[in-house]
Amino acid sequence: MVSDEVNIVWFRRDLRCGDHPAIEEAAKSARRTLALFVLDDRLLKPAGTPRRTFLARCLRALADQLHGHLLIVSGDPTEVVPEVAEKIGAKTVHITADGAPYGRRRDEAVRRRLDEQGVDLVETGTPYVIPPGRVRKPDGTEYRVFTAFYRAWTELDKPGPAPSERDAPKWVEPAKLRIDATKTVDLAELDTELDTEDDGPQLPEAGERAALGRWKEFRAGPLADYASDRDRPALDGTSRLSAYLHWGCVHPRTLLADLHRKRGDGAAAFRRELAWREFLADVLWHRPESARRNLDRRFDDIEYDLGADAWKRFDRWRAGTTGFPFVDAGMRQLAAEAWLHNRARLVVASFLIKDLHLPWWWGARHFMQSLVDGDLASNQHNWQWVAGSGTDAAPYFRVFNPVTQGRRFDPDGQYVRRHVAELRSVSGRAVHEPWKLDSMPAGYPEPMVDHGEERQEALRRFGRITGR
């Protein structure tokens, strides 16, 4: 039944209008709806400039879709959401459920405050196809390895896209509400924090239309060869949808629906990657402490290098001056684009942990501050997967050789030459071992470690905590 009261759609990681169950639910229950977003310092401060900038642009895009009818306030959501609800006389606040540790705590606190005011907090949908915590073993416990999770995930019924529309609710113009007790933020004053026309990272176009456009391009082209090309960083072989998925500019349910009739290895591999994202969110749901601590607690005792010399090595890794071209290309791509190809993510992470013997959380924190697509569940658990402390059975023995990885996945050296200017004159696969040339290219450093020796040292340290 539609009432005459105003309700609220509180946007978070769902910055779109299409396939949005919370919008659909709001349109059913009230004639007028306020679109609200809260700039929360608890989430913004650790995000890093690229992610904050992309968020600002996504909010502008969403406001354009809503004809400017988006109220943005800054402050603690546990205070400002109840305050806004009270000011406009709302009886319902609609949200997409948040499964991350902070989001769950925040929403419970908001719910308690709203309950005191007689206001309902209604959760409809999540950022995932299957809500975290829903996929369970027959005995009711959670899955701890991906392969078993994936089998169960594929067998579950999955909802189709929600028939939400931008103009389904009658969106309230915020200026007419006279909300004066909160810190409102004018769209024109949203700080982009960097100028991508100069020397800042080149961020993707923001918003739902951009996300759907990129999905259309990928579906019509690279998807067919995704199974093979997704590991080739020099190729446009990946979807580049990760930032859009993080902020909910497109829902993975939409992608799966479009893949329904797609056959072939590429479509199958892409479905599997969507499921991997859902698996990591599920791990975080069951083990929220894993965002900061080892899933495998044996690794609490592994020896990492610390101190001034360790930080100097970390700085060389971060700057892309390790002397290993494939590693350096990855780190320079990260700095230039606020994005990094997944194969390169694996190699640079392995190098940090197993060649430099530095803590995985140093690298994870740098990624979260640098990536436009920084996602807590995916970032932290993929770093732990490389470190050996995560969800895989025995990944610590997997020590990526940066030269071998370069030769295999960048066979003609195109990726390295694109990102490492000092090596652009080196042709072919020789670019992966410039120290073997008659003379080292000017300005490029010698390798900072001997990979073979450091691999043995990494395995020795692993043996100390396992007895192997």
Side-chain angles (χ1 to χ4, degrees):
M1 177 178 179
V2 178
S3 71
D4 290 329
E5 67 189 29
V6 179
N7 63 16
I8 295 172
V9 171
W10 173 19
F11 288 90
R12 292 97 69 83
R13 287 179 55 193
D14 50 358
L15 305 182
R16 65 185 185 280
C17 293
D19 191 4
H20 199 307
I23 290 180
E24 182 188 17
E25 191 65 25
K28 293 177 182 177
S29 61
R31 295 190 186 279
R32 297 183 300 154
T33 299
L34 173 66
L36 172 69
F37 188 88
V38 181
L39 294 172
D40 181 356
D41 278 348
R42 288 287 300 274
L43 293 175
L44 291 176
K45 284 185 177 179
T49 296
R51 197 146 37 104
R52 293 195 299 267
T53 300
F54 190 70
L55 168 61
R57 296 173 184 178
C58 288
L59 290 173
R60 289 195 185 94
L62 178 62
D64 287 344
Q65 287 183 274
L66 299 176
H67 310 297
H69 296 165
L70 175 65
L71 175 64
I72 302 176
V73 297
S74 179
D76 183 346
T78 64
E79 297 176 359
V80 298
V81 173
E83 184 179 356
V84 171
E86 182 179 24
K87 285 286 182 181
I88 68 173
K91 295 300 181 184
T92 309
V93 176
H94 294 273
I95 62 172
T96 299
D98 190 336
Y102 170 71
R104 290 163 72 179
R105 296 193 305 270
R106 174 202 60 206
D107 290 351
E108 275 307 304
V110 171
R111 187 187 303 279
R112 289 192 297 269
R113 291 286 300 274
L114 291 175
D115 282 345
E116 295 171 359
Q117 299 174 196
V119 179
D120 293 328
L121 183 67
V122 177
E123 295 182 341
T124 310
T126 78
Y128 302 94
V129 178
I130 304 296
R134 182 76 58 84
V135 183
R136 303 256 182 169
K137 296 179 183 178
D139 63 3
T141 60
E142 72 269 22
Y143 287 97
R144 300 194 176 208
V145 295
F146 172 70
T147 303
F149 174 92
Y150 181 60
R151 284 196 297 265
W153 184 86
T154 57
E155 293 172 359
L156 290 176
D157 291 334
K158 300 175 181 62
S164 63
E165 299 178 6
R166 176 187 64 183
D167 297 323
K170 182 179 179 181
W171 298 104
V172 176
E173 186 176 346
K176 294 182 178 180
L177 297 175
R178 296 181 180 177
I179 299 174
D180 55 4
T182 59
K183 183 181 178 183
T184 60
V185 179
D186 191 284
L187 278 170
E189 297 174 356
L190 276 175
D191 185 10
T192 60
E193 299 192 36
L194 53 81
D195 182 2
T196 58
E197 296 301 319
D198 295 324
D199 59 353
Q202 299 295 310
L203 303 182
E205 184 181 356
E208 182 177 11
R209 291 190 183 94
L212 293 175
R214 175 55 192 168
W215 171 235
K216 182 178 180 180
E217 292 175 2
F218 176 71
R219 199 173 66 237
L223 176 63
D225 298 316
Y226 178 74
S228 57
D229 289 355
R230 67 191 180 95
D231 268 327
R232 297 282 302 278
L235 304 179
D236 182 24
T238 64
S239 72
R240 292 277 190 142
L241 289 171
S242 51
Y244 300 118
L245 285 167
H246 174 73
W247 286 115
C249 299
V250 66
H251 197 284
R253 180 177 48 232
T254 302
L255 311 184
L256 276 183
D258 287 347
L259 288 173
H260 181 63
R261 291 182 177 84
K262 290 280 187 180
R263 298 292 181 264
D265 292 342
F270 192 75
R271 287 189 192 94
R272 188 177 177 89
E273 290 304 306
L274 289 176
W276 182 257
R277 178 175 178 268
E278 306 236 329
F279 170 60
L280 299 181
D282 191 77
V283 173
L284 186 61
W285 170 274
H286 290 290
R287 298 283 299 277
E289 75 281 2
S290 65
R292 301 287 181 266
R293 302 178 65 177
N294 295 308
L295 267 168
D296 184 341
R297 299 307 300 275
R298 293 179 303 169
F299 281 78
D300 291 353
D301 294 325
I302 200 163
E303 178 188 355
Y304 287 121
D305 291 352
L306 305 170
D309 287 343
W311 283 107
K312 289 178 182 177
R313 295 201 300 276
F314 178 75
D315 285 342
R316 285 191 62 177
W317 172 83
R318 185 170 54 183
T321 57
T322 68
F324 288 89
F326 197 63
V327 173
D328 293 340
M331 297 309 296
R332 296 187 195 190
Q333 181 185 30
L334 175 60
E337 301 177 15
W339 182 84
L340 182 56
H341 189 279
N342 186 64
R343 174 54 54 176
R345 295 190 196 205
L346 296 175
V347 175
V348 303
S350 179
F351 188 84
L352 179 82
I353 299 165
K354 297 172 183 177
D355 283 76
L356 301 184
H357 316 297
L358 302 181
W360 65 262
W361 53 90
W362 288 13
R365 182 171 57 245
H366 179 66
F367 269 30
M368 287 295 284
Q369 292 170 344
S370 303
L371 287 167
V372 68
D373 63 5
D375 179 89
L376 185 67
S378 294
N379 186 69
Q380 306 302 92
H381 291 128
N382 276 318
W383 271 92
Q384 289 211 50
W385 184 87
V386 175
S389 62
T391 59
D392 202 10
Y396 201 84
F397 293 107
R398 187 187 298 112
V399 182
F400 289 112
N401 184 316
V403 175
T404 303
Q405 290 285 308
R407 286 177 165 178
R408 180 178 177 185
F409 296 110
D410 186 32
D412 61 359
Q414 183 180 349
Y415 176 70
V416 167
R417 281 188 293 275
R418 182 183 302 163
H419 294 288
V420 184
E422 306 95 302
L423 299 179
R424 284 175 186 160
S425 64
V426 181
S427 61
R429 58 194 295 143
V431 76
H432 295 296
E433 297 178 283
W435 52 87
K436 289 187 175 181
L437 299 172
D438 291 339
S439 61
M440 183 71 98
Y444 192 69
E446 295 282 348
M448 62 185 295
V449 296
D450 181 303
H451 171 72
E453 292 180 1
E454 303 308 333
R455 177 182 181 276
Q456 291 303 316
E457 173 63 15
L459 295 178
R460 182 186 66 79
R461 296 186 187 200
F462 178 64
R464 286 181 178 177
I465 65 170
T466 62
R468 296 185 178 182

